[in-house]
Amino acid sequence: MFTPLTGRSVIVTGGSKGIGKGIARAFAQTGANVLIAARDAATLQAAADDLAQHSSGRVETVVADVSRVEDCRRIAQAAVDRFGGIDVLCANAGVFPEKPFTELTEQDVDSVFACNVKGTMFSVQACLPALSARGRGRVVVTSSITGPITGYPGWSHYGASKAAQLGFLRTAAIELAPKGVTINAVMPGNIATEGLDGMGDDYIRGMEAAIPQHRLGSVEDIGNAALFFASDEAGYITGQTIVVDGGQVLPESPAALEGI
Ligand code: NAP
């Protein structure tokens, strides 16, 4: 039996869409107070209105760009001002523009790393005093299987950034441990989000065929993993990762999936 997170203060960066909104919903449904942050104000407010219908706690918004350090600090301060502190940071905001490695520019790499790596690191840094003050702070990073485990043409810069998040969290876990703060990462496989709308049935069927469970993951699958890492009961787990992919990384070759 897990201790309910009712009344806890939870930040979800990139909480206006996709996986982040799913994570926010998972916490909102437990009665936590949830602050979602993203750049587009209209999408963010629409998400907050939707989430509020599933929450007994409060849902608040901050328009912010996590690639800017001062915005990371504003997000943390907003949670402290509105909820009285921070129990959980879900560092989820991420971008994944596609471009072949041979065509990548310095700007392409900088912009992906600014959001995915720098944004993660400075979100954690900004929230740390408040997380530490709670004595049981939790950070949950959304990484990916792409980069740390697998590769996909067109996403070399993205994969590098997702692997970099894990390099960061392993040392951060050591530095945060004496402050009573854990940091862990969820590594999603292919998750069904609005981003896949318009990709077409053939694309989706192809992705499903590569997954032993023969379905894409749901944002709820990722939200549940985030809830686990955020729980009181996961307090002795830090610096770790959990792959949530329906078994996608397991087959040694396409032959392993024949007849399955
Ligand atoms: P998504 O639907 O595009 O949502 C991304 C969210 O992040 C949006 O709320 C977006 O809002 C926000 N965001 C992007 N850049 C931001 C910035 N600089 N500052 C603040 N917010 C920012 O993407 P998703 O598929 O849910 O992905 C979410 C996370 O999961 C990412 O870290 C991604 O790498 C990871 N992931 C996704 C999958 C998948 O299958 N979908 C698989 C593995 C890992 P604005 O654009 O308005 O800022």
Side-chain angles (χ1 to χ4, degrees), residues 179-211:
K179 300 178 187 300
V181 178
T182 68
I183 177 167
N184 296 286
V186 181
M187 299 165 71
N190 288 138
I191 308 302
T193 63
E194 306 93 309
L196 291 184
D197 291 350
M199 298 296 274
D201 275 355
D202 286 352
Y203 180 82
I204 304 291
R205 297 291 93 77
M207 288 167 75
E208 289 173 345
I211 301 170

Side-chain angles (χ1 to χ4, degrees), residues 112-124:
V112 166
F113 271 68
C115 177
N116 298 2
V117 183
K118 211 174 80 174
T120 298
M121 295 175 74
F122 284 107
S123 298
V124 175

Side-chain angles (χ1 to χ4, degrees), residues 13-21 23 37-41 43-44 63-68 71 75 91-96 111 114-116 119-120 141-146 158 161-162 165 186-196 207 217 219 222:
T13 67
S16 68
K17 284 193 293 189
I19 288 175
K21 189 176 171 193
I23 292 173
R39 294 165 301 175
D40 184 78
T43 315
L44 190 62
V63 176
D65 179 347
V66 298
S67 65
R68 299 162 56 94
D71 282 21
I75 294 169
N92 165 84
V95 289
F96 32 89
S111 68
C115 177
N116 298 2
T120 298
V141 175
T142 308
S143 177
S144 179
I145 59 169
T146 309
Y158 171 73
S161 76
K162 293 282 127 176
Q165 288 179 314
V186 181
M187 299 165 71
N190 288 138
I191 308 302
T193 63
E194 306 93 309
L196 291 184
M207 288 167 75
V219 296
I222 308 304

Side-chain angles (χ1 to χ4, degrees), residues 27-109:
F27 282 98
Q29 287 172 338
T30 69
N33 296 320
V34 181
L35 178 82
I36 56 174
R39 294 165 301 175
D40 184 78
T43 315
L44 190 62
Q45 191 54 54
D49 293 344
D50 184 30
L51 291 169
Q53 295 176 15
H54 304 272
S55 177
S56 51
R58 291 163 56 195
V59 181
E60 298 267 345
T61 63
V62 184
V63 176
D65 179 347
V66 298
S67 65
R68 299 162 56 94
V69 178
E70 61 269 33
D71 282 21
C72 295
R73 296 188 184 128
R74 269 200 309 111
I75 294 169
Q77 192 58 51
V80 170
D81 291 345
R82 299 182 206 180
F83 300 153
I86 306 171
D87 294 291
V88 182
L89 165 66
C90 296
N92 165 84
V95 289
F96 32 89
E98 178 187 6
K99 199 181 241 194
F101 168 63
T102 49
E103 296 171 19
L104 283 179
T105 64
E106 185 177 10
Q107 166 61 22
D108 293 328
V109 176

